[in-house]
């Protein structure tokens, strides 16, 4: 992206800083499901998966600005001031939504930017939204603008992601599934890396390539299918969609 490229040229080396935080804390009043499950717990699962996935890429570092234990809830001002001082180039705040604190059939996933957001903030949010929707399988509530501190007071493109509703009878199944919720964070990291045109570290490329090697028992059939044009000869370990099978 042009913004990321400007950063690299300005600094003379490729290193993009992404500030992140899990909204609120374990004891923040009101930030919980009707069954008393804490929002920070859900936020942290997504953030941790995002953080781990980003470690696979070159030219980027992440830093979180909440309390990683969840025991305290640093003020939003403290978080944004610290991020600005660190020199974050992008900022992502991970949250989960609520309507009235009572179970209902509302729901969906959305991304907020500041009401006077920069073009880059809007572009970043729009780039992440399709992945957020596909990885959650929740209703697309779109990119919205709001006067939220975390996207207003950061000195860089910033987004606040509301993964799903904690008081939704439809969304809660995803939130309670640690593996699926973690995958949301992983996929958002991949989308972020793609947006910023980041490359995998050499070790990760080697691992990826190794995982894509054709198994010995399938080699003969794979070669035949490639020769006949049934497959393009790539991604032997990937799952096939129904369209590809047909």
């Amino acid at each position: 992206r042009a913004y990321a490229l400007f950063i690299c040229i300005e600094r003379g080396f490729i290193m993009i800083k992404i500030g992140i935080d899990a909204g609120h804390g374990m004891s923040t009043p009101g930030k919980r499901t009707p069954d008393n499950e804490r929002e920070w717990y859900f936020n942290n699962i997504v953030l941790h998966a995002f953080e781990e996935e980003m470690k696979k890429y070159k030219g980027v570092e992440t830093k979180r600005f909440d309390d990683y234990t969840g025991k305290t809830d640093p003020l939003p001002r403290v978080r944004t001031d610290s991020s600005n001082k660190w020199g974050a180039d992008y900022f992502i705040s991970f949250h989960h939504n609520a309507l009235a604190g009572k179970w209902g059939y509302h729901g969906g996933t959305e991304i907020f930017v500041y009401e006077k957001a920069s073009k880059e903030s809007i572009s970043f949010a729009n780039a992440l939204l399709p992945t957020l929707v596909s990885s959650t399988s929740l209703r697309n509530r779109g990119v919205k603008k709001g006067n939220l501190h975390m996207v207003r007071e950061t000195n860089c493109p910033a987004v606040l992601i509301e993964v799903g509703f904690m008081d939704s009878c439809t969304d809660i199944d995803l939130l309670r599934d640690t593996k699926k919720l973690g995958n949301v964070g992983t996929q958002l990291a991949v989308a972020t890396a793609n947006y910023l045109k980041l490359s995998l570290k050499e070790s990760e490329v080697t691992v990826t390539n190794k995982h894509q090697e054709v198994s010995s028992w399938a080699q003969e059939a794979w070669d035949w299918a490639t020769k006949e044009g049934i497959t393009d000869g790539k991604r032997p370990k990937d799952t096939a969609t129904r369209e590809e099978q047909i």
Side-chain angles (χ1 to χ4, degrees):
R1 294 296 174 181
Y3 185 87
L5 180 60
F6 173 79
I7 292 170
C8 298
I9 294 174
E10 182 73 9
R11 294 181 176 174
F13 62 91
I14 300 175
M15 181 57 70
I16 299 174
K17 294 183 174 182
I18 303 177
I20 52 179
D21 83 326
H24 314 295
M26 289 289 284
S27 301
T28 306
K31 304 300 181 180
R32 59 201 67 188
T33 73
D35 290 346
N36 209 36
E37 299 153 294
R38 311 305 170 93
E39 179 187 346
W40 183 88
Y41 172 76
F42 300 132
N43 299 341
N44 188 58
I45 291 173
V46 180
L47 178 148
H48 181 68
F50 178 93
E51 193 174 31
E52 289 302 304
E53 186 67 21
M54 291 305 300
K55 291 178 181 179
K56 298 178 181 180
Y57 293 89
K58 297 184 291 186
V60 64
E61 61 179 316
T62 62
K63 184 175 182 178
R64 64 186 298 175
F65 292 94
D66 63 311
D67 178 355
Y68 74 94
T69 69
K71 293 179 180 179
T72 65
D73 182 2
L75 292 172
R77 175 178 52 77
V78 173
R79 301 180 188 220
T80 54
D81 284 354
S82 298
S83 174
N84 292 338
K85 184 176 181 180
W86 180 58
D89 301 308
Y90 289 83
F91 194 93
I92 304 174
S93 189
F94 296 97
H95 289 252
H96 287 76
N97 226 330
L99 182 60
K102 297 180 180 179
W103 292 116
Y105 289 93
H106 51 279
T109 189
E110 60 194 4
I111 300 179
F112 278 91
V113 296
Y114 180 42
E115 58 188 11
K116 297 179 182 179
S118 66
K119 290 182 179 179
E120 182 63 18
S121 289
I122 296 172
S123 177
F124 187 36
N126 283 326
L128 296 183
L129 184 63
T131 296
L132 180 62
V133 174
S134 63
S135 63
T136 61
S137 296
L138 300 180
R139 182 164 65 90
N140 183 358
R141 292 170 57 89
V143 172
K144 298 183 177 180
K145 292 184 177 181
N147 188 26
L148 304 175
H149 181 97
M150 297 306 297
V151 294
R152 185 186 68 234
E153 299 299 328
T154 39
N155 295 338
C156 62
V159 297
L160 187 149
I161 298 175
E162 296 278 11
V163 176
F165 279 78
M166 297 184 293
D167 52 4
S168 166
C169 295
T170 56
D171 295 8
I172 193 63
D173 288 342
L174 167 68
L175 276 56
R176 288 172 172 167
D177 189 321
T178 302
K179 184 176 181 180
K180 289 183 178 179
L181 191 58
N183 183 59
V184 175
T186 298
Q187 296 308 315
L188 285 171
V190 173
T192 298
N194 289 338
Y195 179 77
L196 297 175
K197 301 187 183 304
L198 300 176
S199 300
L200 286 168
K201 295 176 180 177
E202 293 304 320
S203 58
E204 297 299 331
V205 173
T206 301
V207 170
T208 300
N209 290 339
K210 184 176 181 180
H211 287 170
Q212 288 296 337
E213 291 177 357
V214 181
S215 300
S216 57
W217 59 266
Q219 188 68 60
E220 184 177 351
W222 182 261
D223 291 342
W224 172 83
T226 302
K227 182 179 179 180
E228 294 297 321
I230 298 173
T231 176
D232 61 4
K234 301 176 182 179
R235 305 177 294 120
K237 293 298 199 309
D238 283 9
T239 54
T241 66
R242 292 179 181 180
E243 291 176 321
E244 289 174 321
Q245 290 175 334
I246 292 172

